[in-house]
Amino acid sequence: MNQDVIERYFAAFNAGDTQGMLAELAEDIEHHVNEGVIRRGKPAFAEFCAHMSRCYRERLTDMVIFETRDGTRAAAEYVVNGTYLETDAGLPEARGQTYVLPAGSFFTLKDGKIARVTTYYNLADWLRQVK
């Protein structure tokens, strides 16, 4: 069941285990981020994770995962519980602010791996919480 792949991916995220996340991805992963460019391939995804780990500490809770009958697509809804650690370019100054933000991710699954992940959250809500 592909839901297991998504559960392992998010368990690795919550553990701060980038290698564990990468293990669930296809080599040609397409990573669509909220308010950003599409990153392609595991190296670009790993760079993104390193940047995020430097600027933010996040834990996802209240997760619900949905999967299509044919197992080719899935979605997850969750709450991001975070701390803004280091100022991210173009964003407000980081001072250890905390935030709680509903978010969701959408997945394409292929051969037991995540081939695409698209993540959405309300940037205006996040900005309001960290200012």
Side-chain angles (χ1 to χ4, degrees), residues 107-119:
F107 300 90
T108 298
L109 300 138
K110 181 175 66 175
D111 300 325
K113 297 288 184 182
I114 297 168
R116 175 194 56 91
V117 58
T118 303
T119 302

Side-chain angles (χ1 to χ4, degrees), residues 9 21-22 24-32 38-46 106-108 110 113-118:
Y9 171 84
M21 293 171 70
L22 291 169
E24 303 304 329
L25 304 179
E27 291 298 322
D28 60 349
I29 179 74
E30 286 192 1
H31 182 214
H32 301 241
I38 299 171
R39 291 173 179 83
R40 290 182 171 81
K42 283 187 176 184
F45 186 90
F106 301 90
F107 300 90
T108 298
K110 181 175 66 175
K113 297 288 184 182
I114 297 168
R116 175 194 56 91
V117 58
T118 303

Side-chain angles (χ1 to χ4, degrees), residues 82-96:
T83 304
Y84 189 25
L85 303 172
E86 182 179 306
T87 302
D88 201 345
L91 296 173
E93 181 181 344
R95 300 179 315 278

